[in-house]
Amino acid sequence: MERNTKQKQVVMHALESLCHPSAQEIYDFAKKYQPNISMGTVYRILGIFEEQNKVLHIKIPNKADCYDYNSHQHYHLTCKNCKKVYDIPMPYLSELNKKTDEYLIEDHIILFNGVCANCLKNKEGK
């Protein structure tokens, strides 16, 4: 049976509290509650959470990877203005995961690039 350590609890609290945080943001958050936690420990815990499907690891080109507490399959948008990552409210296309003549596709990740609602609203309001 796996132990639920204080370090795991504080990393989970960071994931629940922050929106699509990077490992650095999780570490900075965790340091406030567990001053002795190391960056290596944060990465190790994130790896465990990812293996347990408690978190999604989102790889973002030209930016730090981020983590999502919502571990159900869904899509994301990176805003080119504010640089934040957002969940996209659209159905996950599980039919893309299928067997072809040459491959068995088990999963897919789609990352959209564009402008978030807040940035669009601010742009229109100017």
Side-chain angles (χ1 to χ4, degrees):
M1 179 173 225
E2 187 177 325
R3 292 179 38 216
N4 188 18
T5 64
K6 289 183 180 184
Q7 289 89 353
K8 285 182 183 174
Q9 291 172 10
V10 76
V11 169
M12 183 56 74
H13 182 52
L15 288 163
E16 293 169 346
S17 301
L18 304 171
C19 184
H20 300 97
S22 67
Q24 182 66 52
E25 290 168 327
I26 293 168
Y27 172 74
D28 293 343
F29 182 98
K31 281 291 266 191
K32 296 174 191 172
Y33 300 93
Q34 289 287 308
N36 295 329
I37 197 167
S38 71
M39 190 67 164
T41 298
V42 169
Y43 275 115
R44 183 179 53 76
I45 292 169
L46 289 170
I48 291 168
F49 287 167
E50 187 178 0
E51 286 175 8
Q52 296 173 339
N53 294 317
K54 291 182 178 178
V55 66
L56 287 179
H57 180 180
I58 306 164
K59 295 175 175 79
I60 302 175
N62 304 315
K63 188 175 184 268
D65 292 358
C66 66
Y67 296 85
D68 193 346
Y69 178 67
N70 177 0
S71 62
H72 298 295
Q73 292 293 2
H74 61 284
Y75 302 117
H76 296 91
L77 174 125
T78 302
C79 179
K80 67 180 186 179
N81 292 340
C82 67
K83 311 299 183 210
K84 293 181 184 175
V85 177
Y86 296 90
D87 291 339
I88 296 291
M90 66 186 308
Y92 181 78
L93 300 174
S94 57
E95 59 269 14
L96 293 177
N97 303 335
K98 62 182 181 178
K99 188 173 191 310
T100 68
D101 289 339
E102 297 180 49
Y103 306 101
L104 171 60
I105 300 170
E106 296 178 339
D107 193 12
H108 68 277
I109 298 169
I110 297 176
L111 178 66
F112 295 96
N113 297 303
V115 181
C116 71
N118 289 333
C119 288
L120 276 175
K121 186 170 68 173
N122 290 338
K123 186 178 179 180
E124 291 170 1
K126 289 183 178 180

Short mmCIF file of all heavy atoms in Angstrom, two decimals, residues 30-77:
data_model
loop_
_atom_site.label_atom_id
_atom_site.label_comp_id
_atom_site.label_asym_id
_atom_site.label_seq_id
_atom_site.Cartn_x
_atom_site.Cartn_y
_atom_site.Cartn_z
N ALA A 30 4.33 24.51 -3.18
CA ALA A 30 4.59 23.51 -2.15
C ALA A 30 5.59 24.00 -1.11
O ALA A 30 5.46 23.68 0.08
CB ALA A 30 5.10 22.22 -2.81
N LYS A 31 6.58 24.79 -1.52
CA LYS A 31 7.61 25.31 -0.61
C LYS A 31 6.99 26.13 0.53
O LYS A 31 7.53 26.19 1.62
CB LYS A 31 8.61 26.20 -1.36
CG LYS A 31 9.67 25.48 -2.12
CD LYS A 31 10.65 24.79 -1.25
CE LYS A 31 11.87 25.62 -0.96
NZ LYS A 31 12.91 24.80 -0.31
N LYS A 32 5.85 26.77 0.26
CA LYS A 32 5.18 27.57 1.29
C LYS A 32 4.67 26.69 2.43
O LYS A 32 4.59 27.14 3.57
CB LYS A 32 4.01 28.36 0.69
CG LYS A 32 4.42 29.37 -0.35
CD LYS A 32 3.19 29.99 -0.99
CE LYS A 32 3.58 30.81 -2.20
NZ LYS A 32 2.41 31.26 -2.95
N TYR A 33 4.32 25.45 2.12
CA TYR A 33 3.75 24.53 3.11
C TYR A 33 4.75 23.50 3.60
O TYR A 33 4.64 23.03 4.72
CB TYR A 33 2.53 23.82 2.51
CG TYR A 33 1.44 24.78 2.09
CD1 TYR A 33 1.38 25.25 0.78
CD2 TYR A 33 0.49 25.22 3.00
CE1 TYR A 33 0.38 26.13 0.38
CE2 TYR A 33 -0.51 26.12 2.62
CZ TYR A 33 -0.55 26.56 1.31
OH TYR A 33 -1.53 27.45 0.92
N GLN A 34 5.67 23.13 2.74
CA GLN A 34 6.71 22.14 3.05
C GLN A 34 8.06 22.72 2.63
O GLN A 34 8.56 22.43 1.54
CB GLN A 34 6.45 20.83 2.30
CG GLN A 34 5.28 20.04 2.78
CD GLN A 34 5.56 19.38 4.11
OE1 GLN A 34 6.56 18.69 4.28
NE2 GLN A 34 4.68 19.61 5.06
N PRO A 35 8.66 23.57 3.47
CA PRO A 35 9.90 24.26 3.08
C PRO A 35 11.05 23.34 2.68
O PRO A 35 11.92 23.74 1.93
CB PRO A 35 10.27 25.07 4.32
CG PRO A 35 9.00 25.18 5.11
CD PRO A 35 8.19 23.96 4.79
N ASN A 36 11.03 22.09 3.15
CA ASN A 36 12.14 21.17 2.85
C ASN A 36 11.92 20.35 1.59
O ASN A 36 12.77 19.54 1.24
CB ASN A 36 12.38 20.23 4.04
CG ASN A 36 12.86 20.99 5.25
OD1 ASN A 36 13.53 22.01 5.13
ND2 ASN A 36 12.50 20.50 6.43
N ILE A 37 10.81 20.55 0.89
CA ILE A 37 10.54 19.77 -0.32
C ILE A 37 11.52 20.17 -1.42
O ILE A 37 11.92 21.34 -1.52
CB ILE A 37 9.07 19.94 -0.78
CG1 ILE A 37 8.68 18.83 -1.76
CG2 ILE A 37 8.84 21.31 -1.37
CD1 ILE A 37 7.17 18.73 -2.02
N SER A 38 11.95 19.21 -2.19
CA SER A 38 12.89 19.50 -3.28
C SER A 38 12.17 19.42 -4.62
O SER A 38 11.11 18.82 -4.74
CB SER A 38 14.05 18.50 -3.26
OG SER A 38 13.59 17.23 -3.67
N MET A 39 12.79 20.02 -5.63
CA MET A 39 12.25 19.96 -6.98
C MET A 39 12.19 18.51 -7.46
O MET A 39 11.24 18.10 -8.12
CB MET A 39 13.09 20.83 -7.91
CG MET A 39 12.48 21.02 -9.26
SD MET A 39 10.96 21.99 -9.11
CE MET A 39 10.73 22.45 -10.78
N GLY A 40 13.21 17.73 -7.11
CA GLY A 40 13.24 16.32 -7.48
C GLY A 40 12.06 15.56 -6.90
O GLY A 40 11.47 14.70 -7.56
N THR A 41 11.70 15.88 -5.66
CA THR A 41 10.55 15.24 -5.03
C THR A 41 9.26 15.61 -5.75
O THR A 41 8.39 14.76 -5.98
CB THR A 41 10.46 15.64 -3.54
OG1 THR A 41 11.64 15.18 -2.87
CG2 THR A 41 9.23 15.06 -2.87
N VAL A 42 9.13 16.87 -6.14
CA VAL A 42 7.95 17.31 -6.89
C VAL A 42 7.84 16.52 -8.19
O VAL A 42 6.77 15.99 -8.52
CB VAL A 42 7.98 18.83 -7.15
CG1 VAL A 42 6.91 19.24 -8.14
CG2 VAL A 42 7.83 19.60 -5.84
N TYR A 43 8.94 16.41 -8.94
CA TYR A 43 8.91 15.65 -10.19
C TYR A 43 8.59 14.18 -9.95
O TYR A 43 7.83 13.57 -10.71
CB TYR A 43 10.25 15.77 -10.93
CG TYR A 43 10.36 16.99 -11.80
CD1 TYR A 43 11.30 17.98 -11.52
CD2 TYR A 43 9.55 17.17 -12.91
CE1 TYR A 43 11.41 19.11 -12.31
CE2 TYR A 43 9.65 18.29 -13.72
CZ TYR A 43 10.59 19.25 -13.42
OH TYR A 43 10.70 20.37 -14.21
N ARG A 44 9.15 13.60 -8.90
CA ARG A 44 8.88 12.19 -8.59
C ARG A 44 7.40 11.99 -8.28
O ARG A 44 6.77 11.05 -8.79
CB ARG A 44 9.75 11.74 -7.40
CG ARG A 44 9.59 10.27 -7.05
CD ARG A 44 10.48 9.87 -5.87
NE ARG A 44 10.29 10.70 -4.70
CZ ARG A 44 9.25 10.63 -3.86
NH1 ARG A 44 8.29 9.76 -4.08
NH2 ARG A 44 9.17 11.43 -2.82
N ILE A 45 6.82 12.87 -7.48
CA ILE A 45 5.40 12.77 -7.12
C ILE A 45 4.52 12.97 -8.35
O ILE A 45 3.54 12.25 -8.56
CB ILE A 45 5.06 13.77 -6.00
CG1 ILE A 45 5.75 13.35 -4.70
CG2 ILE A 45 3.55 13.88 -5.81
CD1 ILE A 45 5.70 14.39 -3.60
N LEU A 46 4.87 13.94 -9.19
CA LEU A 46 4.10 14.16 -10.41
C LEU A 46 4.14 12.92 -11.31
O LEU A 46 3.13 12.55 -11.91
CB LEU A 46 4.61 15.38 -11.17
CG LEU A 46 4.31 16.73 -10.52
CD1 LEU A 46 5.07 17.85 -11.22
CD2 LEU A 46 2.81 17.01 -10.53
N GLY A 47 5.29 12.27 -11.38
CA GLY A 47 5.41 11.03 -12.15
C GLY A 47 4.51 9.93 -11.59
O GLY A 47 3.86 9.20 -12.35
N ILE A 48 4.46 9.81 -10.27
CA ILE A 48 3.59 8.83 -9.63
C ILE A 48 2.13 9.15 -9.93
O ILE A 48 1.35 8.26 -10.30
CB ILE A 48 3.84 8.80 -8.10
CG1 ILE A 48 5.22 8.21 -7.80
CG2 ILE A 48 2.74 8.01 -7.38
CD1 ILE A 48 5.68 8.41 -6.37
N PHE A 49 1.76 10.41 -9.77
CA PHE A 49 0.38 10.83 -10.05
C PHE A 49 0.00 10.57 -11.51
O PHE A 49 -1.12 10.17 -11.80
CB PHE A 49 0.16 12.29 -9.70
CG PHE A 49 0.10 12.60 -8.22
CD1 PHE A 49 0.17 13.91 -7.77
CD2 PHE A 49 -0.01 11.59 -7.27
CE1 PHE A 49 0.10 14.20 -6.42
CE2 PHE A 49 -0.07 11.88 -5.92
CZ PHE A 49 -0.01 13.19 -5.48
N GLU A 50 0.95 10.79 -12.40
CA GLU A 50 0.68 10.55 -13.82
C GLU A 50 0.46 9.06 -14.07
O GLU A 50 -0.48 8.68 -14.78
CB GLU A 50 1.84 11.07 -14.67
CG GLU A 50 1.60 11.01 -16.15
CD GLU A 50 2.74 11.58 -16.98
OE1 GLU A 50 3.75 12.04 -16.41
OE2 GLU A 50 2.61 11.56 -18.20
N GLU A 51 1.28 8.21 -13.48
CA GLU A 51 1.13 6.76 -13.62
C GLU A 51 -0.21 6.28 -13.06
O GLU A 51 -0.81 5.33 -13.57
CB GLU A 51 2.26 6.03 -12.90
CG GLU A 51 3.59 6.11 -13.61
CD GLU A 51 4.72 5.47 -12.81
OE1 GLU A 51 4.43 4.83 -11.76
OE2 GLU A 51 5.87 5.59 -13.23
N GLN A 52 -0.68 6.95 -12.01
CA GLN A 52 -1.95 6.58 -11.37
C GLN A 52 -3.15 7.26 -12.02
O GLN A 52 -4.27 7.14 -11.53
CB GLN A 52 -1.91 6.95 -9.88
CG GLN A 52 -0.88 6.20 -9.08
CD GLN A 52 -0.74 6.72 -7.66
OE1 GLN A 52 -1.11 7.85 -7.33
NE2 GLN A 52 -0.19 5.88 -6.80
N ASN A 53 -2.91 7.98 -13.11
CA ASN A 53 -3.96 8.72 -13.82
C ASN A 53 -4.68 9.73 -12.93
O ASN A 53 -5.87 9.99 -13.11
CB ASN A 53 -4.98 7.76 -14.47
CG ASN A 53 -4.35 6.94 -15.56
OD1 ASN A 53 -3.58 7.46 -16.37
ND2 ASN A 53 -4.64 5.66 -15.58
N LYS A 54 -3.94 10.32 -12.01
CA LYS A 54 -4.50 11.38 -11.17
C LYS A 54 -4.24 12.76 -11.76
O LYS A 54 -4.81 13.74 -11.32
CB LYS A 54 -3.87 11.33 -9.77
CG LYS A 54 -4.28 10.13 -8.96
CD LYS A 54 -3.66 10.17 -7.59
CE LYS A 54 -4.09 9.00 -6.75
NZ LYS A 54 -3.44 9.01 -5.43
N VAL A 55 -3.36 12.80 -12.77
CA VAL A 55 -2.97 14.07 -13.37
C VAL A 55 -2.62 13.84 -14.83
O VAL A 55 -2.15 12.75 -15.19
CB VAL A 55 -1.78 14.70 -12.58
CG1 VAL A 55 -0.53 13.86 -12.71
CG2 VAL A 55 -1.50 16.11 -13.01
N LEU A 56 -2.87 14.84 -15.67
CA LEU A 56 -2.42 14.80 -17.05
C LEU A 56 -1.14 15.63 -17.16
O LEU A 56 -1.07 16.73 -16.63
CB LEU A 56 -3.47 15.41 -17.99
CG LEU A 56 -4.73 14.62 -18.27
CD1 LEU A 56 -5.64 15.41 -19.21
CD2 LEU A 56 -4.41 13.27 -18.88
N HIS A 57 -0.18 15.09 -17.85
CA HIS A 57 1.08 15.80 -18.14
C HIS A 57 0.93 16.35 -19.55
O HIS A 57 0.83 15.59 -20.51
CB HIS A 57 2.23 14.82 -18.03
CG HIS A 57 3.56 15.43 -18.31
ND1 HIS A 57 4.71 14.68 -18.27
CD2 HIS A 57 3.96 16.68 -18.62
CE1 HIS A 57 5.74 15.45 -18.55
NE2 HIS A 57 5.30 16.67 -18.77
N ILE A 58 0.90 17.67 -19.65
CA ILE A 58 0.69 18.32 -20.94
C ILE A 58 2.02 18.88 -21.44
O ILE A 58 2.59 19.78 -20.82
CB ILE A 58 -0.35 19.45 -20.83
CG1 ILE A 58 -1.65 18.92 -20.21
CG2 ILE A 58 -0.62 20.08 -22.19
CD1 ILE A 58 -2.57 19.99 -19.73
N LYS A 59 2.49 18.33 -22.53
CA LYS A 59 3.75 18.80 -23.12
C LYS A 59 3.43 19.93 -24.09
O LYS A 59 2.65 19.75 -25.02
CB LYS A 59 4.45 17.65 -23.82
CG LYS A 59 4.89 16.56 -22.86
CD LYS A 59 5.47 15.38 -23.58
CE LYS A 59 6.02 14.35 -22.63
NZ LYS A 59 5.05 13.50 -22.01
N ILE A 60 4.04 21.08 -23.85
CA ILE A 60 3.75 22.27 -24.64
C ILE A 60 5.02 22.71 -25.37
O ILE A 60 6.03 23.00 -24.71
CB ILE A 60 3.21 23.40 -23.75
CG1 ILE A 60 1.97 22.91 -23.02
CG2 ILE A 60 2.92 24.65 -24.56
CD1 ILE A 60 1.40 23.87 -22.03
N PRO A 61 4.98 22.77 -26.69
CA PRO A 61 6.18 23.20 -27.43
C PRO A 61 6.62 24.61 -27.04
O PRO A 61 5.78 25.50 -26.86
CB PRO A 61 5.72 23.16 -28.90
CG PRO A 61 4.51 22.30 -28.91
CD PRO A 61 3.87 22.43 -27.56
N ASN A 62 7.90 24.79 -26.88
CA ASN A 62 8.51 26.09 -26.59
C ASN A 62 8.03 26.72 -25.28
O ASN A 62 8.05 27.93 -25.12
CB ASN A 62 8.28 27.08 -27.75
CG ASN A 62 8.78 26.53 -29.05
OD1 ASN A 62 9.88 25.98 -29.12
ND2 ASN A 62 7.98 26.64 -30.09
N LYS A 63 7.58 25.89 -24.36
CA LYS A 63 7.10 26.37 -23.06
C LYS A 63 7.26 25.23 -22.06
O LYS A 63 7.32 24.07 -22.45
CB LYS A 63 5.63 26.79 -23.18
CG LYS A 63 5.06 27.47 -21.96
CD LYS A 63 3.62 27.93 -22.24
CE LYS A 63 3.07 28.71 -21.07
NZ LYS A 63 2.37 27.94 -20.10
N ALA A 64 7.29 25.56 -20.79
CA ALA A 64 7.38 24.51 -19.78
C ALA A 64 6.14 23.62 -19.82
O ALA A 64 5.03 24.11 -20.02
CB ALA A 64 7.52 25.15 -18.40
N ASP A 65 6.36 22.32 -19.65
CA ASP A 65 5.23 21.40 -19.55
C ASP A 65 4.36 21.83 -18.38
O ASP A 65 4.83 22.45 -17.43
CB ASP A 65 5.72 19.98 -19.29
CG ASP A 65 6.47 19.39 -20.47
OD1 ASP A 65 6.58 20.05 -21.52
OD2 ASP A 65 6.95 18.25 -20.33
N CYS A 66 3.09 21.46 -18.45
CA CYS A 66 2.21 21.76 -17.32
C CYS A 66 1.42 20.51 -16.96
O CYS A 66 1.48 19.50 -17.66
CB CYS A 66 1.31 22.95 -17.62
SG CYS A 66 0.10 22.70 -18.91
N TYR A 67 0.72 20.61 -15.85
CA TYR A 67 -0.01 19.47 -15.31
C TYR A 67 -1.45 19.88 -15.06
O TYR A 67 -1.73 21.01 -14.69
CB TYR A 67 0.67 18.99 -14.01
CG TYR A 67 2.06 18.49 -14.28
CD1 TYR A 67 3.14 19.37 -14.34
CD2 TYR A 67 2.29 17.15 -14.53
CE1 TYR A 67 4.42 18.91 -14.63
CE2 TYR A 67 3.57 16.68 -14.83
CZ TYR A 67 4.62 17.58 -14.87
OH TYR A 67 5.87 17.12 -15.17
N ASP A 68 -2.35 18.93 -15.29
CA ASP A 68 -3.77 19.21 -15.17
C ASP A 68 -4.38 18.23 -14.17
O ASP A 68 -4.27 17.02 -14.33
CB ASP A 68 -4.44 19.07 -16.54
CG ASP A 68 -5.85 19.63 -16.58
OD1 ASP A 68 -6.43 19.90 -15.51
OD2 ASP A 68 -6.37 19.79 -17.69
N TYR A 69 -5.02 18.79 -13.16
CA TYR A 69 -5.71 17.98 -12.15
C TYR A 69 -6.88 17.22 -12.75
O TYR A 69 -7.23 16.14 -12.29
CB TYR A 69 -6.17 18.90 -11.02
CG TYR A 69 -6.93 18.21 -9.93
CD1 TYR A 69 -6.30 17.28 -9.10
CD2 TYR A 69 -8.27 18.47 -9.73
CE1 TYR A 69 -7.00 16.64 -8.10
CE2 TYR A 69 -8.98 17.83 -8.72
CZ TYR A 69 -8.33 16.92 -7.91
OH TYR A 69 -9.02 16.28 -6.93
N ASN A 70 -7.48 17.75 -13.81
CA ASN A 70 -8.56 17.07 -14.51
C ASN A 70 -7.92 16.00 -15.39
O ASN A 70 -7.43 16.28 -16.48
CB ASN A 70 -9.36 18.07 -15.36
CG ASN A 70 -10.45 17.41 -16.17
OD1 ASN A 70 -10.65 16.20 -16.12
ND2 ASN A 70 -11.16 18.22 -16.94
N SER A 71 -7.94 14.76 -14.92
CA SER A 71 -7.23 13.70 -15.63
C SER A 71 -8.06 13.01 -16.70
O SER A 71 -7.59 12.08 -17.35
CB SER A 71 -6.70 12.67 -14.63
OG SER A 71 -7.77 12.07 -13.94
N HIS A 72 -9.30 13.44 -16.90
CA HIS A 72 -10.10 12.89 -17.99
C HIS A 72 -9.59 13.46 -19.31
O HIS A 72 -9.16 14.61 -19.37
CB HIS A 72 -11.58 13.23 -17.81
CG HIS A 72 -12.16 12.66 -16.56
ND1 HIS A 72 -12.28 11.30 -16.34
CD2 HIS A 72 -12.63 13.25 -15.45
CE1 HIS A 72 -12.81 11.10 -15.17
NE2 HIS A 72 -13.03 12.26 -14.59
N GLN A 73 -9.64 12.66 -20.35
CA GLN A 73 -9.13 13.10 -21.65
C GLN A 73 -9.93 14.30 -22.15
O GLN A 73 -11.15 14.26 -22.20
CB GLN A 73 -9.17 11.97 -22.66
CG GLN A 73 -8.22 10.85 -22.35
CD GLN A 73 -6.76 11.26 -22.48
OE1 GLN A 73 -6.40 12.40 -22.77
NE2 GLN A 73 -5.88 10.32 -22.25
N HIS A 74 -9.22 15.35 -22.48
CA HIS A 74 -9.82 16.55 -23.02
C HIS A 74 -8.73 17.35 -23.72
O HIS A 74 -7.56 17.01 -23.66
CB HIS A 74 -10.52 17.38 -21.93
CG HIS A 74 -9.61 17.85 -20.85
ND1 HIS A 74 -9.15 17.04 -19.83
CD2 HIS A 74 -9.08 19.07 -20.60
CE1 HIS A 74 -8.37 17.72 -19.04
NE2 HIS A 74 -8.30 18.96 -19.48
N TYR A 75 -9.13 18.42 -24.39
CA TYR A 75 -8.20 19.21 -25.18
C TYR A 75 -7.87 20.53 -24.47
O TYR A 75 -8.60 20.97 -23.59
CB TYR A 75 -8.80 19.50 -26.56
CG TYR A 75 -9.14 18.24 -27.32
CD1 TYR A 75 -10.45 17.94 -27.66
CD2 TYR A 75 -8.14 17.33 -27.68
CE1 TYR A 75 -10.77 16.77 -28.35
CE2 TYR A 75 -8.46 16.17 -28.36
CZ TYR A 75 -9.76 15.90 -28.70
OH TYR A 75 -10.05 14.75 -29.36
N HIS A 76 -6.78 21.12 -24.91
CA HIS A 76 -6.29 22.36 -24.30
C HIS A 76 -5.98 23.41 -25.37
O HIS A 76 -5.71 23.07 -26.52
CB HIS A 76 -5.02 22.08 -23.49
CG HIS A 76 -5.27 21.18 -22.33
ND1 HIS A 76 -5.15 19.82 -22.42
CD2 HIS A 76 -5.66 21.45 -21.07
CE1 HIS A 76 -5.46 19.29 -21.26
NE2 HIS A 76 -5.77 20.25 -20.41
N LEU A 77 -5.99 24.65 -24.94
CA LEU A 77 -5.60 25.78 -25.78
C LEU A 77 -4.52 26.56 -25.05
O LEU A 77 -4.63 26.82 -23.85
CB LEU A 77 -6.79 26.72 -26.03
CG LEU A 77 -6.42 28.01 -26.78
CD1 LEU A 77 -7.27 28.15 -28.02
CD2 LEU A 77 -6.60 29.22 -25.88
#
